[in-house]
Amino acid sequence: MASKRTALIVGAGIGGLSAALALRQAGWHVRLFERAATARELGFGLLVAPNAIAALRELGVAETVLARGFAPNRGELRRMDGTVLKRAEFPPPEVLGGPTVVALRPALYGALLDAVGPDAIALRSEVTGYSATDDRVLLQTAGGATAEGDLLVGADGIGSVVRRTLHPTEPPPRPCGIVTVRGTVSGAAHLLGGLSGIFYLGPGVESFLVRASDTGIYWMLSLARGVAPAGTRDPAAVVAHLAPRFEPAFRAVTSATEELRCDELVDRDPLPYWGVGRVTLLGDAAHPMLPHTGQGAAQAIVDAVSLGRALGGDVDVDEALRSHEHVRRRRTAALVAQGRRTARIMRTTNPIACRVREVAVRLMPVSLFVRVYARLNRRAGTDVRRAA
């Protein structure tokens, strides 16, 4: 019996673990290389949309994630002072094309890690480069170790070493002019007053508080660069600068949060190609996008399922990779563009534009939001062509 082909995966985040599961299901032996000393997911919360749930179901972990997350049912859009602009009930799964939950990132990551198993991950293994022949790939690490395989998947995030090797002249990530602070707090769901979430809009400001578990809240505050306090990226200082402009519910949740993180949002222009030969990219290494799409982690998982489908059975690996990449590049490029458009609207400080935005939101029927959300999930889903 022929030995299994080996896939080397750089990065053991959500995308890397998803790729490991998908490729293992397709008959590959997988090895993951992670530079961190422990296998854990950094970050706070995320929306797990129907297309992501469908992909997770193919990987066998959807039910675990659904059980650990929170399915939203109703929310409000408010001004920063608490004035309600819109109330909405979250539609049932059959309207949206499947269930949607908000989850803490460690809950999703833990489900994937349990399914992959820690023995497949080499920790403290910082990949520094690779070389490739027509049918083999050789990986090098900072410690001098090497690994050889039949496939290399770069799932190593926005600063990807694999991407940099493929595209050495590419410019650095592109700032979008928004600074964000994120946090989670447990035992605070009662502060939402029975709502699943509250979304706030203001000049150069957007924020949300949303339940992400039975008792926990995930929240984010986004500020246009000119609205954020100058000279600091201390998350507590950023929140303290804006908190007096918010209603009591926002102040209560954020003041109860102990762990915060501040980031300047960035993305990258779509690439002309993701891979060469037996090398490909996945997730943020291939298509980092702004959080305004609600699809960052989802698209990494969808990438993984698409990759596993393409490489199942007796296929020509090079041809299968290029076919998979062709479909996924087109779809993710559209999401990157959508995220940029939404970010421009949300970060505006122009008084007239802010007023028009507010009026549009108040007048737009909830059914239209639902149709747009459902259409986005269909377009960003897993119905990819299988490589011949």
Side-chain angles (χ1 to χ4, degrees):
M1 180 181 293
S3 60
K4 283 188 175 182
R5 295 169 297 182
T6 296
L8 309 177
I9 302 172
V10 184
I14 288 172
L17 292 178
S18 298
L21 285 176
L23 288 168
R24 188 181 285 170
Q25 289 176 353
W28 289 69
H29 172 65
V30 297
R31 298 178 63 189
L32 294 101
F33 298 83
E34 171 57 49
R35 65 180 180 179
T38 58
R40 66 189 184 98
E41 172 68 4
L42 300 176
F44 294 92
L46 73 169
L47 177 75
V48 190
N51 62 321
I53 295 295
L56 290 169
R57 187 161 280 119
E58 294 203 27
L59 299 179
V61 298
E63 296 308 316
T64 302
V65 175
L66 288 170
R68 293 176 180 178
F70 183 83
N73 48 40
R74 59 186 176 276
E76 291 182 351
L77 175 65
R78 301 177 180 177
R79 292 180 183 144
M80 295 164 66
D81 64 6
T83 301
V84 177
L85 301 174
K86 201 174 200 68
R87 295 185 175 93
E89 299 288 327
F90 206 78
E94 55 269 21
V95 174
L96 298 176
T100 296
V101 297
V102 181
L104 299 177
R105 278 183 174 267
L108 171 58
Y109 184 81
L112 293 168
L113 180 62
D114 290 343
V116 170
D119 292 344
I121 305 173
L123 299 171
R124 298 186 178 88
S125 297
E126 180 180 359
V127 172
T128 56
Y130 68 88
S131 58
T133 63
D134 287 343
D135 59 356
R136 301 292 287 172
V137 181
L138 183 68
L139 203 63
Q140 298 102 31
T141 70
T146 61
E148 190 173 358
D150 305 278
L151 169 69
L152 174 61
V153 180
D156 45 342
I158 196 166
S160 170
V161 167
V162 180
R163 178 175 178 139
R164 190 163 62 244
T165 304
L166 287 166
H167 301 274
T169 63
E170 183 185 22
R174 170 187 175 276
C176 82
I178 294 176
V179 173
T180 68
V181 179
R182 311 176 207 219
T184 58
V185 58
S186 60
H190 63 282
L191 296 174
L192 296 180
L195 299 171
S196 301
I198 303 171
F199 192 95
Y200 298 96
L201 275 179
V205 179
E206 59 174 319
S207 181
F208 61 76
L209 318 171
V210 61
R211 286 187 65 174
S213 67
D214 287 343
T215 65
I217 291 176
Y218 164 51
W219 61 268
M220 183 171 74
L221 171 65
S222 293
L223 311 173
R225 191 182 290 118
V227 177
T232 181
R233 286 295 179 266
D234 174 63
V238 174
V239 174
H241 178 74
L242 265 292
R245 296 170 55 185
F246 277 91
E247 66 164 336
F250 176 89
R251 297 199 299 269
V253 170
T254 56
S255 65
T257 305
E258 295 183 358
E259 185 178 357
L260 307 172
R261 192 177 83 187
C262 184
D263 300 288
E264 183 167 7
L265 296 184
V266 298
D267 67 4
R268 287 186 185 271
D269 291 332
L271 289 170
Y273 59 92
W274 286 4
V276 174
R278 299 292 183 101
V279 180
T280 192
L281 300 172
L282 181 146
D284 280 351
H287 48 72
M289 58 187 66
L290 299 175
H292 299 79
T293 63
Q295 283 286 323
Q299 289 305 300
I301 301 167
V302 172
D303 284 349
V305 170
S306 168
L307 183 66
R309 288 180 178 181
L311 294 177
D314 185 17
V315 297
D316 182 293
V317 174
D318 291 24
E319 290 183 5
L321 287 176
R322 303 298 85 82
S323 178
H324 149 79
E325 292 166 358
H326 174 74
V327 176
R328 296 301 301 147
R329 278 194 303 111
R330 176 168 47 85
R331 296 191 175 184
T332 54
L335 287 168
V336 170
Q338 176 189 312
R340 290 178 176 181
R341 289 193 299 269
T342 305
R344 282 196 297 271
I345 295 170
M346 303 309 282
R347 72 175 181 239
T348 184
T349 58
N350 181 287
I352 296 176
C354 288
R355 179 61 179 163
V356 170
R357 180 184 63 185
E358 183 176 300
V359 170
V361 167
R362 297 183 73 167
L363 295 179
M364 190 177 296
V366 173
S367 60
L368 180 56
F369 283 106
V370 172
R371 288 198 299 272
V372 170
Y373 182 75
R375 185 169 66 247
L376 183 150
N377 276 280
R378 287 194 299 271
R379 290 178 176 175
T382 59
D383 53 331
V384 296
R385 298 177 300 180
R386 182 166 179 152

